[in-house]
Amino acid sequence: MLWLIIGLAVFCFVLVLILGHQDEKNASLSAENKLMKERLSTFNDAGLQPGETLSQLQNYNRPLTVENAMEAIRYNGYVPDSDGKWICFMVQGERFFVDVTSNPVAHFVYPFSLDENHNMANLRAATELLPDRIIIGRAHIDNDQQGISFIADGIERNYGHFRDSLNDYIHLLYETRARHKAIYDDLQARTDKDKALASWGTQPKVLS
């Protein structure tokens, strides 16, 4: 009986050692899997595949400057020019400007000239109402009332993210302009209707 008890005790001791070793192995595998997932997430955030080189990741993460912002614009198929601060480029015949010197803020501007046919009161009202229709984009009327600009700001710290987000900013500015125009057109339609009613009310009545 004593030998049976001793045998069972040895068996239990060995079993505990085996299970403990297995737990350590599982914990090690879990830590390795977590590390691999974190590395894969880093590659995905950078727009890279795991097989691509470290130099590509470093290229993606370069701090954003005027020079590599122009490189990113060329990458997207546009031709940039710069005065050292503002970068100008054309998209389908329309000018866009971006300033990346206030790191980490990238400041995009989409400008237009105004003519005398615009109702300035309604234009100002549409500009004030615009934040109710779109969160990021905004509009600014020049002090001399000769132009209006549509503006969007974004946080851009590195070359790669700016490169991949450029067209998103362009579409955001298109949408900002479209929503501003919709507000203005609605206000102008009301103005025209009120003028027509006022004009009708002042016409002399003809008795039959």
Side-chain angles (χ1 to χ4, degrees):
M1 178 64 69
L2 178 62
W3 286 108
L4 179 60
I5 294 173
I6 293 173
L8 287 172
V10 171
F11 174 78
C12 291
F13 178 74
V14 172
L15 183 61
V16 168
L17 289 178
I18 293 173
L19 292 175
H21 177 72
Q22 187 64 38
D23 287 342
E24 290 178 1
K25 185 177 180 181
N26 289 340
S28 177
L29 287 173
S30 177
E32 289 178 5
N33 287 337
K34 182 180 179 182
L35 180 60
M36 290 297 294
K37 287 180 180 179
E38 289 174 352
R39 289 177 177 174
L40 182 59
S41 176
T42 300
F43 277 105
N44 289 335
D45 290 343
L48 300 173
Q49 296 301 317
E52 297 187 74
T53 64
L54 179 60
S55 63
Q56 289 174 292
L57 181 59
Q58 291 171 336
N59 177 60
Y60 182 97
N61 286 324
R62 282 183 291 160
L64 190 62
T65 64
V66 172
E67 290 74 20
N68 61 35
M70 293 176 68
E71 180 184 334
I73 292 168
R74 282 191 289 268
Y75 177 92
N76 281 278
Y78 312 119
V79 180
D81 192 16
S82 176
D83 62 2
K85 176 178 172 68
W86 286 100
I87 303 170
C88 176
F89 59 101
M90 304 285 286
V91 180
Q92 297 180 349
E94 295 180 328
R95 292 179 305 157
F96 288 79
F97 293 85
V98 60
D99 173 19
V100 298
T101 61
S102 300
N103 190 282
V105 177
H107 186 62
F108 287 83
V109 178
Y110 181 30
F112 289 89
S113 298
L114 292 173
D115 57 44
E116 58 186 18
N117 294 325
H118 284 89
N119 182 316
M120 192 55 62
N122 284 340
L123 205 63
R124 289 197 195 95
T127 300
E128 292 173 1
L129 291 170
L130 183 62
D132 295 335
R133 301 287 184 89
I134 195 165
I135 297 175
I136 299 176
R138 62 189 190 278
H140 172 75
I141 300 172
D142 296 348
N143 292 334
D144 60 7
Q145 300 183 1
Q146 298 299 305
I148 184 170
S149 297
F150 301 99
I151 300 165
D153 295 333
I155 301 301
E156 294 296 336
R157 292 186 173 86
N158 61 54
Y159 158 80
H161 191 271
F162 177 83
R163 178 196 69 196
D164 295 344
S165 302
L166 180 64
N167 285 312
D168 292 334
Y169 285 109
I170 293 170
H171 291 303
L172 172 61
L173 290 168
Y174 282 149
E175 185 64 22
T176 302
R177 181 193 178 194
R179 296 194 185 191
H180 184 274
K181 184 178 185 302
I183 299 170
Y184 173 82
D185 288 346
D186 182 55
L187 293 171
Q188 192 60 34
R190 295 181 193 177
T191 299
D192 293 342
K193 181 179 179 180
D194 290 344
K195 285 182 178 179
L197 290 173
S199 175
W200 182 81
T202 59
Q203 292 178 359
K205 296 181 180 179
V206 178
L207 296 177
S208 57

Short mmCIF file of all heavy atoms in Angstrom, two decimals, residues 8-46:
data_model
loop_
_atom_site.label_atom_id
_atom_site.label_comp_id
_atom_site.label_asym_id
_atom_site.label_seq_id
_atom_site.Cartn_x
_atom_site.Cartn_y
_atom_site.Cartn_z
N LEU A 8 1.66 6.99 -6.64
CA LEU A 8 0.66 8.00 -7.02
C LEU A 8 1.20 9.42 -6.79
O LEU A 8 0.94 10.33 -7.59
CB LEU A 8 -0.62 7.80 -6.20
CG LEU A 8 -1.47 6.58 -6.58
CD1 LEU A 8 -2.61 6.38 -5.58
CD2 LEU A 8 -2.03 6.76 -8.01
N ALA A 9 1.95 9.61 -5.71
CA ALA A 9 2.51 10.93 -5.40
C ALA A 9 3.51 11.35 -6.48
O ALA A 9 3.52 12.50 -6.93
CB ALA A 9 3.17 10.91 -4.02
N VAL A 10 4.36 10.40 -6.89
CA VAL A 10 5.34 10.70 -7.96
C VAL A 10 4.64 11.03 -9.26
O VAL A 10 4.99 11.96 -9.98
CB VAL A 10 6.30 9.51 -8.13
CG1 VAL A 10 7.18 9.71 -9.38
CG2 VAL A 10 7.16 9.32 -6.89
N PHE A 11 3.58 10.23 -9.57
CA PHE A 11 2.83 10.48 -10.81
C PHE A 11 2.20 11.87 -10.81
O PHE A 11 2.25 12.60 -11.81
CB PHE A 11 1.75 9.40 -10.96
CG PHE A 11 0.82 9.64 -12.11
CD1 PHE A 11 1.22 9.34 -13.41
CD2 PHE A 11 -0.44 10.18 -11.90
CE1 PHE A 11 0.37 9.57 -14.47
CE2 PHE A 11 -1.30 10.42 -12.96
CZ PHE A 11 -0.90 10.11 -14.26
N CYS A 12 1.61 12.25 -9.67
CA CYS A 12 0.98 13.58 -9.58
C CYS A 12 2.02 14.68 -9.71
O CYS A 12 1.78 15.72 -10.34
CB CYS A 12 0.25 13.70 -8.24
SG CYS A 12 -1.23 12.66 -8.12
N PHE A 13 3.19 14.48 -9.11
CA PHE A 13 4.26 15.48 -9.19
C PHE A 13 4.71 15.69 -10.64
O PHE A 13 4.87 16.82 -11.10
CB PHE A 13 5.43 15.03 -8.31
CG PHE A 13 6.61 15.97 -8.35
CD1 PHE A 13 6.55 17.22 -7.71
CD2 PHE A 13 7.76 15.62 -9.06
CE1 PHE A 13 7.64 18.07 -7.76
CE2 PHE A 13 8.84 16.48 -9.11
CZ PHE A 13 8.79 17.72 -8.46
N VAL A 14 4.91 14.56 -11.34
CA VAL A 14 5.33 14.64 -12.76
C VAL A 14 4.25 15.31 -13.60
O VAL A 14 4.53 16.13 -14.48
CB VAL A 14 5.64 13.22 -13.30
CG1 VAL A 14 5.88 13.28 -14.81
CG2 VAL A 14 6.85 12.64 -12.59
N LEU A 15 2.97 14.98 -13.31
CA LEU A 15 1.86 15.57 -14.06
C LEU A 15 1.82 17.09 -13.86
O LEU A 15 1.59 17.85 -14.80
CB LEU A 15 0.54 14.94 -13.61
CG LEU A 15 -0.72 15.41 -14.35
CD1 LEU A 15 -0.61 15.08 -15.85
CD2 LEU A 15 -1.97 14.77 -13.77
N VAL A 16 2.05 17.52 -12.61
CA VAL A 16 2.07 18.97 -12.33
C VAL A 16 3.19 19.64 -13.10
O VAL A 16 3.02 20.74 -13.64
CB VAL A 16 2.21 19.20 -10.81
CG1 VAL A 16 2.54 20.68 -10.52
CG2 VAL A 16 0.94 18.80 -10.08
N LEU A 17 4.35 19.02 -13.16
CA LEU A 17 5.48 19.59 -13.90
C LEU A 17 5.15 19.72 -15.39
O LEU A 17 5.45 20.75 -16.03
CB LEU A 17 6.73 18.72 -13.72
CG LEU A 17 7.40 18.76 -12.34
CD1 LEU A 17 8.59 17.79 -12.33
CD2 LEU A 17 7.87 20.18 -12.03
N ILE A 18 4.52 18.69 -15.95
CA ILE A 18 4.17 18.71 -17.38
C ILE A 18 3.16 19.81 -17.68
O ILE A 18 3.29 20.57 -18.63
CB ILE A 18 3.62 17.34 -17.80
CG1 ILE A 18 4.74 16.27 -17.74
CG2 ILE A 18 3.03 17.40 -19.21
CD1 ILE A 18 4.25 14.86 -17.97
N LEU A 19 2.13 19.90 -16.82
CA LEU A 19 1.10 20.92 -17.03
C LEU A 19 1.66 22.32 -16.85
O LEU A 19 1.29 23.25 -17.58
CB LEU A 19 -0.07 20.69 -16.05
CG LEU A 19 -0.91 19.43 -16.29
CD1 LEU A 19 -1.95 19.26 -15.18
CD2 LEU A 19 -1.59 19.49 -17.65
N GLY A 20 2.55 22.48 -15.88
CA GLY A 20 3.17 23.79 -15.67
C GLY A 20 3.99 24.22 -16.87
O GLY A 20 3.96 25.37 -17.30
N HIS A 21 4.74 23.25 -17.45
CA HIS A 21 5.54 23.54 -18.64
C HIS A 21 4.64 23.90 -19.82
O HIS A 21 4.95 24.81 -20.60
CB HIS A 21 6.40 22.32 -18.97
CG HIS A 21 7.20 22.50 -20.23
ND1 HIS A 21 8.29 23.34 -20.29
CD2 HIS A 21 7.05 21.93 -21.47
CE1 HIS A 21 8.79 23.30 -21.52
NE2 HIS A 21 8.05 22.45 -22.25
N GLN A 22 3.48 23.20 -19.93
CA GLN A 22 2.54 23.47 -21.02
C GLN A 22 1.94 24.87 -20.87
O GLN A 22 1.76 25.59 -21.85
CB GLN A 22 1.44 22.42 -21.02
CG GLN A 22 0.50 22.52 -22.22
CD GLN A 22 1.22 22.24 -23.54
OE1 GLN A 22 2.08 21.36 -23.60
NE2 GLN A 22 0.89 23.02 -24.56
N ASP A 23 1.63 25.27 -19.61
CA ASP A 23 1.09 26.61 -19.37
C ASP A 23 2.10 27.68 -19.77
O ASP A 23 1.75 28.71 -20.35
CB ASP A 23 0.72 26.77 -17.89
CG ASP A 23 -0.53 25.98 -17.52
OD1 ASP A 23 -1.29 25.61 -18.46
OD2 ASP A 23 -0.76 25.73 -16.32
N GLU A 24 3.37 27.46 -19.44
CA GLU A 24 4.42 28.42 -19.83
C GLU A 24 4.53 28.52 -21.34
O GLU A 24 4.68 29.61 -21.90
CB GLU A 24 5.76 27.99 -19.23
CG GLU A 24 5.83 28.14 -17.72
CD GLU A 24 7.16 27.65 -17.17
OE1 GLU A 24 8.02 27.22 -17.98
OE2 GLU A 24 7.34 27.70 -15.94
N LYS A 25 4.43 27.37 -22.02
CA LYS A 25 4.51 27.35 -23.47
C LYS A 25 3.32 28.09 -24.09
O LYS A 25 3.49 28.88 -25.03
CB LYS A 25 4.54 25.90 -23.96
CG LYS A 25 4.75 25.77 -25.47
CD LYS A 25 4.86 24.31 -25.86
CE LYS A 25 5.07 24.18 -27.37
NZ LYS A 25 5.16 22.75 -27.77
N ASN A 26 2.13 27.86 -23.54
CA ASN A 26 0.94 28.55 -24.04
C ASN A 26 1.03 30.05 -23.83
O ASN A 26 0.64 30.86 -24.69
CB ASN A 26 -0.32 28.01 -23.35
CG ASN A 26 -0.67 26.60 -23.79
OD1 ASN A 26 -0.22 26.15 -24.85
ND2 ASN A 26 -1.45 25.90 -22.97
N ALA A 27 1.54 30.47 -22.66
CA ALA A 27 1.70 31.90 -22.38
C ALA A 27 2.69 32.53 -23.34
O ALA A 27 2.50 33.65 -23.82
CB ALA A 27 2.15 32.09 -20.93
N SER A 28 3.78 31.79 -23.64
CA SER A 28 4.78 32.30 -24.58
C SER A 28 4.19 32.45 -25.98
O SER A 28 4.41 33.46 -26.65
CB SER A 28 5.99 31.36 -24.61
OG SER A 28 6.93 31.80 -25.57
N LEU A 29 3.42 31.44 -26.41
CA LEU A 29 2.78 31.51 -27.73
C LEU A 29 1.78 32.66 -27.79
O LEU A 29 1.67 33.36 -28.81
CB LEU A 29 2.08 30.18 -28.04
CG LEU A 29 3.00 29.00 -28.38
CD1 LEU A 29 2.17 27.72 -28.50
CD2 LEU A 29 3.76 29.27 -29.67
N SER A 30 1.04 32.87 -26.71
CA SER A 30 0.06 33.96 -26.67
C SER A 30 0.75 35.31 -26.80
O SER A 30 0.28 36.20 -27.50
CB SER A 30 -0.73 33.89 -25.36
OG SER A 30 -1.63 34.97 -25.27
N ALA A 31 1.89 35.48 -26.10
CA ALA A 31 2.64 36.73 -26.17
C ALA A 31 3.19 36.96 -27.59
O ALA A 31 3.16 38.07 -28.11
CB ALA A 31 3.78 36.72 -25.16
N GLU A 32 3.68 35.87 -28.22
CA GLU A 32 4.20 35.99 -29.58
C GLU A 32 3.08 36.36 -30.56
O GLU A 32 3.27 37.18 -31.46
CB GLU A 32 4.87 34.68 -30.00
CG GLU A 32 6.18 34.41 -29.28
CD GLU A 32 6.79 33.07 -29.70
OE1 GLU A 32 6.21 32.43 -30.60
OE2 GLU A 32 7.81 32.68 -29.12
N ASN A 33 1.91 35.73 -30.39
CA ASN A 33 0.76 36.05 -31.26
C ASN A 33 0.33 37.51 -31.10
O ASN A 33 0.01 38.19 -32.09
CB ASN A 33 -0.42 35.13 -30.94
CG ASN A 33 -0.20 33.71 -31.44
OD1 ASN A 33 0.58 33.50 -32.36
ND2 ASN A 33 -0.88 32.75 -30.83
N LYS A 34 0.32 38.00 -29.87
CA LYS A 34 -0.04 39.40 -29.61
C LYS A 34 0.95 40.34 -30.28
O LYS A 34 0.56 41.34 -30.90
CB LYS A 34 -0.07 39.65 -28.10
CG LYS A 34 -0.48 41.07 -27.75
CD LYS A 34 -0.52 41.28 -26.24
CE LYS A 34 -0.91 42.71 -25.90
NZ LYS A 34 -0.90 42.94 -24.42
N LEU A 35 2.24 40.01 -30.19
CA LEU A 35 3.27 40.84 -30.82
C LEU A 35 3.12 40.86 -32.33
O LEU A 35 3.23 41.91 -32.98
CB LEU A 35 4.67 40.32 -30.43
CG LEU A 35 5.87 41.09 -31.00
CD1 LEU A 35 5.83 42.54 -30.54
CD2 LEU A 35 7.17 40.43 -30.59
N MET A 36 2.83 39.69 -32.91
CA MET A 36 2.64 39.60 -34.36
C MET A 36 1.44 40.42 -34.80
O MET A 36 1.47 41.10 -35.84
CB MET A 36 2.47 38.14 -34.78
CG MET A 36 3.74 37.31 -34.66
SD MET A 36 5.05 37.89 -35.77
CE MET A 36 4.33 37.52 -37.36
N LYS A 37 0.34 40.37 -34.02
CA LYS A 37 -0.84 41.16 -34.35
C LYS A 37 -0.55 42.64 -34.29
O LYS A 37 -1.01 43.43 -35.14
CB LYS A 37 -1.98 40.81 -33.39
CG LYS A 37 -2.59 39.44 -33.64
CD LYS A 37 -3.71 39.15 -32.65
CE LYS A 37 -4.33 37.78 -32.90
NZ LYS A 37 -5.41 37.47 -31.91
N GLU A 38 0.24 43.08 -33.29
CA GLU A 38 0.59 44.49 -33.18
C GLU A 38 1.45 44.93 -34.36
O GLU A 38 1.25 46.03 -34.90
CB GLU A 38 1.35 44.73 -31.86
CG GLU A 38 0.46 44.61 -30.63
CD GLU A 38 1.26 44.72 -29.34
OE1 GLU A 38 2.52 44.74 -29.41
OE2 GLU A 38 0.64 44.78 -28.26
N ARG A 39 2.39 44.07 -34.77
CA ARG A 39 3.23 44.41 -35.93
C ARG A 39 2.40 44.46 -37.20
O ARG A 39 2.60 45.35 -38.04
CB ARG A 39 4.36 43.39 -36.07
CG ARG A 39 5.42 43.50 -34.98
CD ARG A 39 6.47 42.43 -35.11
NE ARG A 39 7.52 42.59 -34.11
CZ ARG A 39 8.51 41.71 -33.92
NH1 ARG A 39 8.57 40.60 -34.66
NH2 ARG A 39 9.41 41.94 -32.98
N LEU A 40 1.46 43.51 -37.36
CA LEU A 40 0.60 43.50 -38.54
C LEU A 40 -0.27 44.74 -38.57
O LEU A 40 -0.48 45.34 -39.63
CB LEU A 40 -0.27 42.24 -38.52
CG LEU A 40 -1.20 42.06 -39.74
CD1 LEU A 40 -0.40 41.99 -41.02
CD2 LEU A 40 -2.04 40.80 -39.57
N SER A 41 -0.77 45.17 -37.39
CA SER A 41 -1.58 46.37 -37.32
C SER A 41 -0.77 47.59 -37.73
O SER A 41 -1.26 48.49 -38.43
CB SER A 41 -2.12 46.55 -35.90
OG SER A 41 -2.84 47.75 -35.79
N THR A 42 0.49 47.64 -37.33
CA THR A 42 1.37 48.75 -37.71
C THR A 42 1.55 48.81 -39.21
O THR A 42 1.48 49.89 -39.83
CB THR A 42 2.74 48.61 -37.02
OG1 THR A 42 2.56 48.61 -35.61
CG2 THR A 42 3.67 49.76 -37.42
N PHE A 43 1.78 47.66 -39.83
CA PHE A 43 1.92 47.61 -41.29
C PHE A 43 0.63 48.05 -41.97
O PHE A 43 0.66 48.82 -42.94
CB PHE A 43 2.29 46.19 -41.74
CG PHE A 43 3.75 45.89 -41.65
CD1 PHE A 43 4.25 45.07 -40.65
CD2 PHE A 43 4.64 46.42 -42.58
CE1 PHE A 43 5.61 44.80 -40.56
CE2 PHE A 43 6.00 46.13 -42.51
CZ PHE A 43 6.48 45.32 -41.50
N ASN A 44 -0.51 47.56 -41.47
CA ASN A 44 -1.80 47.92 -42.09
C ASN A 44 -2.06 49.41 -41.99
O ASN A 44 -2.55 50.03 -42.92
CB ASN A 44 -2.94 47.14 -41.43
CG ASN A 44 -2.91 45.67 -41.80
OD1 ASN A 44 -2.38 45.29 -42.84
ND2 ASN A 44 -3.48 44.83 -40.95
N ASP A 45 -1.75 49.99 -40.82
CA ASP A 45 -1.94 51.43 -40.63
C ASP A 45 -1.07 52.23 -41.59
O ASP A 45 -1.43 53.33 -42.02
CB ASP A 45 -1.61 51.84 -39.19
CG ASP A 45 -2.64 51.32 -38.19
OD1 ASP A 45 -3.74 50.94 -38.64
OD2 ASP A 45 -2.32 51.28 -37.00
N ALA A 46 0.06 51.68 -41.94
CA ALA A 46 0.98 52.36 -42.86
C ALA A 46 0.68 52.05 -44.32
O ALA A 46 1.37 52.54 -45.21
CB ALA A 46 2.43 51.96 -42.53
#
